[in-house]
Amino acid sequence: MQTYGVNELRKMFLDFFESKDHLVLKSFPLIPQNDNSLLLINAGMAPLKPYFTGQEEPPRKRIATCQKCIRTGDIENVGKTSRHATFFEMLGNFSFGDYFKREAIAWSWEFLTQVIGLDKNRLYPSVYEKDDEAFEIWNKEIGIAKDRIYRMGKEDNFWEIGSGPCGPCSEIYYDRGEKYGCGKPDCEVGCECDRFIEVWNNVFTQFNGDGKGNYTELENKNIDTGMGLERLAVIVQDVGSIFDIDTFKAIRDKICDIAGVTYLSDPNKDISIRLISDHIRAVTFMASDGIIPSNEGRGYVFRRLLRRAARHGRLLGIKDKFLADLSITVVNEFKAGYPELDEKKDYIIKLLSIEEDKFNKTIDQGLSILQEMQNNLEKKNLKILPGEDVFKLYDTYGFPFDLTKEILEEKGYQVDEEGFKKSMEIQRETARSARTTTNYMGSEETVYQHLDHNLTSKFVGYDSLVHESKIIALTTETELASDLVAGQKGTIVVEETPFYAVSGGQIGDTGVIVTDSAEFAVEDTIKLPGDKIGHVGRVIKGIFKIDDRVSLKVDENLRAATAKNHSATHLLHKALRMVLGSHVEQAGSYVSNDRLRFDFTHFSAMTDDEITRVENIVNQQILMNLPVNTQLMNIDDAKKEGAMALFGEKYSDKVRVVSMGDFSKELCGGTHVANTGHITVFKIISETGIAAGVRRIEALTGNGVINHYKDLETKLYEAAKVAKTEPSSLIHRIESLLEEIKVLKSENEKLKSKLASNTLGDVMNEVQDVSGVKLLAVNVPELDMNGLRNLGDKLKDKLGEGVIILASSTAPDKVSLVAMVSQEAINRGAHAGNLIKELAVLVGGGGGGRPNMAQAGGKNAAGIADVIAKAKDVLSKQLK
Ligand SMILES: [Zn+2]
Ligand SMILES: [Zn+2]
């Protein structure tokens, strides 16, 4: 059998299905779009759900993809076995109401046996036990003997998730030969060992399930297939496991090279090598799709994978940072199938390098927290660290269970493994129940999902702001409608519209839709499922009906101001890359008529100098009156010409390229000025951090800048007025006011200390004698606990041996008490802690302390008089 590399196999699969009239789509980004049920894309069909439900019209009824996927359900086993991985590529061919079982089965057979050249005597199909149709096709049409076709139960060969589309499947197993087998006499398809492996899964989506075991036949039956590319490579390359296929091996070799170790020389090291080679692929791909490490959601998955990889690097004896370096190997191995890896390479390297640095610090932090926990055990004379503590270290500080165990065992302690597992299970349950509450689509129901999916609308508003068209759909806020009348809120959908729908960070247009007798105020324009544009607003007068001819007019001022801000973000993007470096990537943007916001990847705050340089570059390009041109291009040509593309964006083959002179070139669907000169002026208002590694700039253009300075001017005049001077002498005035405040402050300090010593003198008159022990109990005005203690120390010096009780309140509900007892008084039986305990009750508080010093807080200042009055009695009871 001829052997093929992973990159070749991927191409062979896609080419094969292209020859069968399939539209080959690029892998969708790992971040699911409009799907709350998933953190990360976990299967080839996941991003195609809207096509399966009929909510959106697929671009063709036959589609084929190679989809990047991440699953973390078995993360604990990655490395320990040679089967598990978090990142994988899934090949799939899909039919949306087009071909069905016959073609799907025949093509899978043709691809495996003729294109790849697998030996058909080693292939075994399986079908769902009740699916006679599939059985017949295998037997009669493909010619597989009956005893080689396995009928399996619902568990194995019926695909369904909750309610929604579902159906039986047919899998194809490959017999890898005895050398991979377990040797048991009953070793056959379905055995747990590595001999028979499932290579292809055809899902025949023919039912709609209600989630309770009731099925109705679907009108449009679909095909959804999945084949793990790595698994196919294992078979074709006839290697032991996924970690031995060509792409994995390149990464594995690089790790061994960095660590100076050899694969298969030490089982523990092998675990680390396999784990790192899997995790580095996952994090490299996540980074290229714009996912940023954090403590929740996708960001947490990223962080966890990266830290596990870093930790295992240390187990291999790697001293320095290595993950960024290793990601270059991933980029090189996979860029043929995923060009975005190469495009975002600088950024990926920087991000991984910074995150690995953070991990090094976390390790130190985790160690000191573990030390604290250990000290607590010692104090309580315990020998086992509770499971929740182990879990907390694991979950919050990324401290692996084994590490905690290892460290504690060295010191003669144990860990509660059962408790740890329990905590882990609780967290899993929580995550699971959170997931199962979403429907098949993983999105919320809206009225728009009921719109006829054959309807589409076209945007015609790049060059004109007025257009005539026909209404094709109407909705109220809750349901489809055939008309909308004055006073009603709702949405109008037309065939062609000049209104820009919110997207790419740019707000939707506003304006009016009119007929001779009716008027609709458009408050927002939005994209609806299935290539439709919705004009959201209310009917001002008259009535709108489906099929009405209407005239659509966009608010020109809003559009013009928005265009200035949008064009400025392109100049800003380029300027940031010039000043800060090529790791800067757009992470998000918001463009409206009155401001712009631009989020980008960068790992420290910008300096004032950097901000000024960026501002200057943008303003220079505005002054140069660069023409703004847009061009429809093939995506590959656009990228070749250096057009900047965004993270995780799903681009179609034809893209719109917006260029501003030779300065900036970006893929963008937004609306722009015709000439950079129209932006007039650009001003950055703020630069802040919004997440680890993501900065945000807020800025203004045109009239926004003028209004900004007008505001500042008004404030300046107001400030001058308040300071009783003119704006030109305001600074001088503030300086002299500050000087004056300084002089007054120091005078005030002098007066205060004079007052305090007077108070000291006065209170000494209130010393009482309690059976030969001196007691000073006084209410001091307006001191907090600190002040009270300081005063107490001074009084102690004056009083010599004896007992001091001080009370004070800074508010009616804020009382502080302090008690101080000298050694001699302690010998007589006085105890500051017990004194305070009894007295604090009188001010509605509690407290205690040592024999010589104690303090308490209270909530009732009215009780202070009682405290002073009772002090003598309480002390007297204590004395021997
Ligand atoms: Zn076996
Ligand atoms: Zn843009």
Side-chain angles (χ1 to χ4, degrees), residues 4-193:
Y4 301 102
V6 166
N7 286 313
E8 281 173 294
L9 288 170
R10 189 191 301 113
K11 191 169 179 311
M12 286 162 85
F13 178 87
L14 296 175
D15 287 351
F16 175 74
F17 280 98
E18 193 162 40
S19 79
K20 305 288 182 197
D21 273 340
H22 285 63
L23 173 66
V24 172
L25 293 181
K26 241 195 95 192
S27 172
F28 289 74
L30 285 166
I31 303 176
Q33 312 286 319
N34 309 319
D35 184 347
N36 304 323
S37 67
L38 290 177
L39 271 188
L40 294 157
I41 291 296
N42 62 357
M45 63 79 62
L48 305 173
K49 279 185 201 170
Y51 303 150
F52 278 109
T53 56
Q55 195 167 104
E56 275 184 47
E57 189 75 355
R60 201 184 291 176
K61 286 188 181 304
R62 300 176 179 188
I63 286 179
T65 59
C66 177
Q67 176 64 44
K68 46 190 169 185
C69 302
I70 290 183
R71 283 185 199 170
T72 54
D74 282 325
I75 189 172
E76 301 306 325
N77 288 324
V78 174
K80 291 182 189 155
T81 76
S82 55
R83 292 185 191 194
H84 292 95
T86 57
F87 176 87
F88 58 97
E89 295 174 76
M90 205 180 237
L91 301 167
N93 54 294
F94 307 93
S95 155
F96 306 102
D98 190 47
Y99 64 83
F100 204 48
K101 291 182 191 176
R102 170 167 291 131
E103 296 85 346
I105 288 175
W107 289 336
S108 60
W109 190 254
E110 182 183 345
F111 180 76
L112 290 180
T113 58
Q114 288 172 40
V115 180
I116 301 291
L118 295 186
D119 177 359
K120 51 181 144 185
N121 295 320
R122 289 179 168 231
L123 292 170
Y124 296 86
S126 76
V127 297
Y128 175 50
E129 56 194 359
K130 292 178 186 159
D131 190 358
D132 294 333
E133 188 188 357
F135 189 93
E136 292 294 302
I137 295 170
W138 279 115
N139 177 234
K140 300 248 164 66
E141 297 181 23
I142 309 292
I144 311 288
K146 283 185 178 165
D147 60 348
R148 290 175 62 93
I149 307 170
Y150 287 76
R151 285 185 187 260
M152 295 197 181
K154 209 164 180 180
E155 190 87 322
D156 292 305
N157 279 42
F158 197 91
W159 183 89
E160 73 182 319
I161 303 177
S163 59
C166 58
C169 33
S170 175
E171 300 177 322
I172 304 174
Y173 286 83
Y174 181 78
D175 177 3
R176 310 190 61 210
E178 272 167 31
K179 65 177 166 171
Y180 296 109
C182 57
K184 289 178 191 152
D186 59 348
C187 184
E188 60 170 349
V189 169
C191 182
E192 287 297 309
C193 72

Side-chain angles (χ1 to χ4, degrees), residues 190-386:
C191 182
E192 287 297 309
C193 72
D194 286 336
R195 178 168 170 179
F196 295 92
I197 65 176
E198 176 206 327
V199 51
W200 195 302
N201 188 4
N202 267 312
V203 179
F204 310 123
T205 314
Q206 66 186 110
F207 301 117
N208 195 25
D210 65 357
K212 295 173 194 127
N214 303 312
Y215 303 101
T216 48
E217 199 88 10
L218 280 175
E219 197 177 320
N220 283 325
K221 297 181 174 55
N222 301 321
I223 289 290
D224 158 18
T225 72
M227 171 162 60
L229 175 57
E230 286 87 352
R231 247 194 231 185
L232 179 66
V234 165
I235 292 170
V236 172
Q237 298 176 10
D238 192 23
V239 290
S241 82
I242 52 171
F243 296 94
D244 304 311
I245 62 178
D246 60 329
T247 46
F248 250 126
K249 184 170 177 299
I251 300 168
R252 209 183 72 191
D253 288 349
K254 178 76 182 176
I255 297 167
C256 291
D257 195 33
I258 296 173
V261 297
T262 318
Y263 188 54
L264 298 184
S265 63
D266 172 346
N268 280 325
K269 290 209 161 90
D270 292 346
I271 290 177
S272 297
I273 295 168
R274 284 191 292 260
L275 182 142
I276 298 168
S277 33
D278 168 68
H279 288 11
I280 190 67
R281 299 192 317 158
V283 296
T284 304
F285 273 89
M286 288 174 104
S288 78
D289 272 344
I291 299 169
I292 289 164
S294 72
N295 281 331
E296 51 176 37
R298 286 183 270 284
Y300 180 63
V301 177
F302 188 135
R303 175 160 284 170
R304 194 167 163 217
L305 290 171
L306 187 138
R307 291 189 169 180
R308 279 166 57 97
R311 151 100 182 118
H312 278 268
R314 272 147 200 78
L315 290 180
L316 286 180
I318 302 174
K319 296 263 175 339
D320 301 320
K321 282 197 292 179
F322 71 105
L323 293 174
D325 206 18
L326 189 57
S327 72
I328 297 173
T329 310
V330 179
V331 171
N332 290 337
E333 288 300 313
F334 288 89
K335 64 184 175 191
Y338 306 89
E340 65 269 24
L341 291 171
D342 207 30
E343 286 161 25
K344 309 286 181 197
K345 187 166 150 191
D346 291 351
Y347 165 75
I348 296 169
I349 290 169
K350 186 120 189 189
L351 181 69
L352 295 194
S353 156
I354 282 171
E355 185 62 17
E356 195 174 359
D357 275 339
K358 275 200 196 132
F359 170 74
N360 291 337
K361 282 191 201 132
T362 306
I363 274 280
D364 297 338
Q365 202 186 3
L367 282 173
S368 77
I369 285 159
L370 181 55
Q371 185 60 49
E372 243 170 64
M373 289 177 175
Q374 191 197 322
N375 293 346
N376 271 333
L377 289 181
E378 202 172 350
K379 240 183 259 165
K380 295 179 190 157
N381 222 346
L382 297 172
K383 281 284 164 199
I384 301 173
L385 186 68

Side-chain angles (χ1 to χ4, degrees), residues 504 566 569-570 586 658 666-670 672:
H566 194 153
T569 61
H570 286 214
Q586 177 169 343
V658 175
E666 254 184 64
L667 304 185
C668 175
H672 288 273

